[in-house]
Short mmCIF file of all heavy atoms in Angstrom, two decimals:
data_model
loop_
_atom_site.label_atom_id
_atom_site.label_comp_id
_atom_site.label_asym_id
_atom_site.label_seq_id
_atom_site.Cartn_x
_atom_site.Cartn_y
_atom_site.Cartn_z
N ASN A 452 20.22 157.06 38.28
CA ASN A 452 21.50 157.79 38.46
C ASN A 452 21.75 158.72 37.26
O ASN A 452 22.17 159.84 37.46
CB ASN A 452 22.59 156.81 38.66
CG ASN A 452 23.89 157.50 38.99
OD1 ASN A 452 23.92 158.38 39.76
ND2 ASN A 452 24.95 157.08 38.33
N ASN A 456 21.78 162.80 37.52
CA ASN A 456 22.94 163.56 37.17
C ASN A 456 22.57 164.63 36.08
O ASN A 456 22.95 165.76 36.16
CB ASN A 456 24.02 162.64 36.58
CG ASN A 456 24.85 161.96 37.61
OD1 ASN A 456 24.75 162.36 38.79
ND2 ASN A 456 25.75 161.12 37.22
N ALA A 457 21.82 164.18 35.13
CA ALA A 457 21.43 165.04 33.96
C ALA A 457 20.65 166.32 34.60
O ALA A 457 20.89 167.41 34.13
CB ALA A 457 20.59 164.32 32.98
N LYS A 459 20.88 167.24 37.86
CA LYS A 459 21.73 168.01 38.79
C LYS A 459 22.74 168.91 38.08
O LYS A 459 22.91 169.97 38.45
CB LYS A 459 22.60 166.97 39.58
CG LYS A 459 21.93 166.41 40.82
CD LYS A 459 22.95 165.82 41.77
CE LYS A 459 23.82 164.76 41.19
NZ LYS A 459 24.68 164.09 42.15
N TYR A 460 23.26 168.38 36.94
CA TYR A 460 24.24 169.14 36.24
C TYR A 460 23.74 169.92 35.08
O TYR A 460 24.37 170.24 34.12
CB TYR A 460 25.42 168.26 35.84
CG TYR A 460 26.03 167.58 37.03
CD1 TYR A 460 25.84 166.25 37.26
CD2 TYR A 460 26.80 168.36 37.95
CE1 TYR A 460 26.41 165.69 38.47
CE2 TYR A 460 27.33 167.72 39.04
CZ TYR A 460 27.13 166.44 39.32
OH TYR A 460 27.65 165.81 40.42
N ASP A 484 21.50 165.80 28.26
CA ASP A 484 21.14 167.07 28.78
C ASP A 484 21.77 168.22 28.13
O ASP A 484 22.76 168.05 27.37
CB ASP A 484 21.46 167.09 30.29
CG ASP A 484 23.02 166.93 30.54
OD1 ASP A 484 23.68 167.89 30.18
OD2 ASP A 484 23.45 165.95 31.18
N ILE A 487 25.89 171.68 32.01
CA ILE A 487 27.25 172.29 32.08
C ILE A 487 28.28 171.47 31.34
O ILE A 487 29.29 172.08 31.03
CB ILE A 487 27.71 172.51 33.60
CG1 ILE A 487 27.76 171.09 34.32
CG2 ILE A 487 26.73 173.41 34.25
CD1 ILE A 487 28.34 171.18 35.69
N GLY A 488 28.07 170.24 31.02
CA GLY A 488 29.08 169.46 30.30
C GLY A 488 30.19 169.15 31.14
O GLY A 488 30.31 169.53 32.29
N ILE A 489 31.19 168.48 30.52
CA ILE A 489 32.35 168.04 31.31
C ILE A 489 33.68 168.45 30.47
O ILE A 489 33.66 168.15 29.29
CB ILE A 489 32.37 166.54 31.51
CG1 ILE A 489 31.09 166.11 32.28
CG2 ILE A 489 33.53 166.04 32.33
CD1 ILE A 489 30.73 164.68 32.02
N LEU A 497 35.92 160.08 34.78
CA LEU A 497 34.46 160.05 35.03
C LEU A 497 33.98 158.80 35.81
O LEU A 497 33.13 158.98 36.68
CB LEU A 497 33.80 160.14 33.67
CG LEU A 497 32.43 160.77 33.60
CD1 LEU A 497 32.40 162.10 34.29
CD2 LEU A 497 31.97 160.85 32.22
N SER A 502 35.46 160.38 42.28
CA SER A 502 36.02 161.65 41.66
C SER A 502 34.86 162.45 41.17
O SER A 502 33.97 161.99 40.46
CB SER A 502 36.95 161.24 40.51
OG SER A 502 36.31 160.50 39.58
N ARG A 503 34.86 163.75 41.58
CA ARG A 503 33.66 164.59 41.19
C ARG A 503 34.10 165.68 40.18
O ARG A 503 33.21 166.49 39.87
CB ARG A 503 33.16 165.26 42.50
CG ARG A 503 32.65 164.25 43.46
CD ARG A 503 31.50 164.83 44.30
NE ARG A 503 30.42 165.28 43.51
CZ ARG A 503 29.66 166.34 43.81
NH1 ARG A 503 29.87 167.10 44.79
NH2 ARG A 503 28.66 166.67 42.99
N LEU A 504 35.25 165.58 39.67
CA LEU A 504 35.72 166.37 38.49
C LEU A 504 35.47 167.79 38.72
O LEU A 504 34.83 168.54 37.94
CB LEU A 504 34.96 165.89 37.26
CG LEU A 504 34.82 164.44 36.98
CD1 LEU A 504 34.11 164.18 35.62
CD2 LEU A 504 36.10 163.67 37.10
N GLN A 506 33.57 169.22 40.94
CA GLN A 506 32.21 169.58 41.63
C GLN A 506 32.34 169.47 43.14
O GLN A 506 31.34 169.71 43.81
CB GLN A 506 31.15 168.71 41.09
CG GLN A 506 30.87 168.77 39.60
CD GLN A 506 30.39 170.15 39.17
OE1 GLN A 506 29.81 170.94 40.05
NE2 GLN A 506 30.60 170.56 37.95
N GLY A 513 26.60 165.43 45.99
CA GLY A 513 27.06 164.18 45.35
C GLY A 513 28.37 163.75 45.98
O GLY A 513 28.98 164.46 46.71
N VAL A 514 28.70 162.51 45.74
CA VAL A 514 29.97 161.99 46.23
C VAL A 514 30.83 161.41 45.19
O VAL A 514 31.96 160.88 45.45
CB VAL A 514 29.65 160.88 47.35
CG1 VAL A 514 29.29 161.59 48.55
CG2 VAL A 514 28.68 159.88 46.86
N GLY A 515 30.36 161.36 44.00
CA GLY A 515 31.23 160.82 42.93
C GLY A 515 31.30 159.30 42.87
O GLY A 515 32.26 158.75 42.44
N ILE A 516 30.20 158.66 43.24
CA ILE A 516 30.34 157.20 43.26
C ILE A 516 29.25 156.68 42.20
O ILE A 516 29.28 155.45 41.77
CB ILE A 516 30.00 156.71 44.61
CG1 ILE A 516 30.59 155.24 44.72
CG2 ILE A 516 28.62 156.68 45.01
CD1 ILE A 516 30.61 154.76 46.14
N GLY A 517 28.27 157.49 41.90
CA GLY A 517 27.11 157.00 41.04
C GLY A 517 27.55 156.46 39.67
O GLY A 517 27.12 155.33 39.30
N LEU A 518 28.46 157.11 38.99
CA LEU A 518 28.88 156.64 37.66
C LEU A 518 29.67 155.42 37.79
O LEU A 518 29.55 154.41 37.03
CB LEU A 518 29.54 157.72 36.86
CG LEU A 518 28.65 158.81 36.29
CD1 LEU A 518 29.48 159.81 35.53
CD2 LEU A 518 27.56 158.21 35.35
N ALA A 519 30.54 155.30 38.75
CA ALA A 519 31.36 154.10 38.97
C ALA A 519 30.50 152.93 39.22
O ALA A 519 30.66 151.84 38.58
CB ALA A 519 32.36 154.30 40.12
N SER A 542 25.82 167.03 28.01
CA SER A 542 26.33 165.68 27.97
C SER A 542 25.23 164.72 27.56
O SER A 542 24.07 164.95 27.78
CB SER A 542 26.76 165.21 29.40
OG SER A 542 27.49 166.23 29.98
N PHE A 544 24.71 160.61 28.22
CA PHE A 544 25.19 159.35 28.69
C PHE A 544 24.34 158.24 28.21
O PHE A 544 23.10 158.42 28.13
CB PHE A 544 25.15 159.34 30.30
CG PHE A 544 26.26 160.00 30.98
CD1 PHE A 544 26.24 161.47 30.98
CD2 PHE A 544 27.37 159.39 31.39
CE1 PHE A 544 27.28 162.11 31.58
CE2 PHE A 544 28.42 160.09 31.96
CZ PHE A 544 28.37 161.44 32.05
P1 ADP B 26 28.09 162.59 41.74
O1 ADP B 26 27.06 163.05 40.84
O2 ADP B 26 27.59 161.99 43.03
O3 ADP B 26 29.28 163.59 41.96
P2 ADP B 26 28.74 160.59 39.75
O4 ADP B 26 29.61 159.46 39.79
O5 ADP B 26 27.38 160.42 39.37
O6 ADP B 26 28.80 161.30 41.08
O7 ADP B 26 29.37 161.59 38.71
C1 ADP B 26 30.79 161.87 38.83
C2 ADP B 26 31.05 163.30 38.31
O8 ADP B 26 30.82 163.33 36.89
C3 ADP B 26 30.16 164.33 38.83
O9 ADP B 26 30.73 164.90 40.08
C4 ADP B 26 30.09 165.38 37.75
O10 ADP B 26 31.36 166.14 37.87
C5 ADP B 26 30.29 164.62 36.45
N1 ADP B 26 28.94 164.33 35.75
C6 ADP B 26 28.14 163.29 35.88
N2 ADP B 26 27.12 163.41 35.07
C7 ADP B 26 27.18 164.61 34.56
C8 ADP B 26 26.30 165.34 33.63
N3 ADP B 26 25.21 164.86 33.13
N4 ADP B 26 26.73 166.60 33.24
C9 ADP B 26 27.93 167.07 33.75
N5 ADP B 26 28.78 166.48 34.58
C10 ADP B 26 28.37 165.23 34.95
#
Side-chain angles (χ1 to χ4, degrees):
N452 183 45
N456 275 353
K459 276 199 304 190
Y460 301 106
D484 65 62
I487 60 174
I489 304 159
L497 206 53
S502 61
R503 296 209 60 213
L504 319 185
Q506 297 296 336
V514 283
I516 201 173
L518 283 179
S542 314
F544 281 81

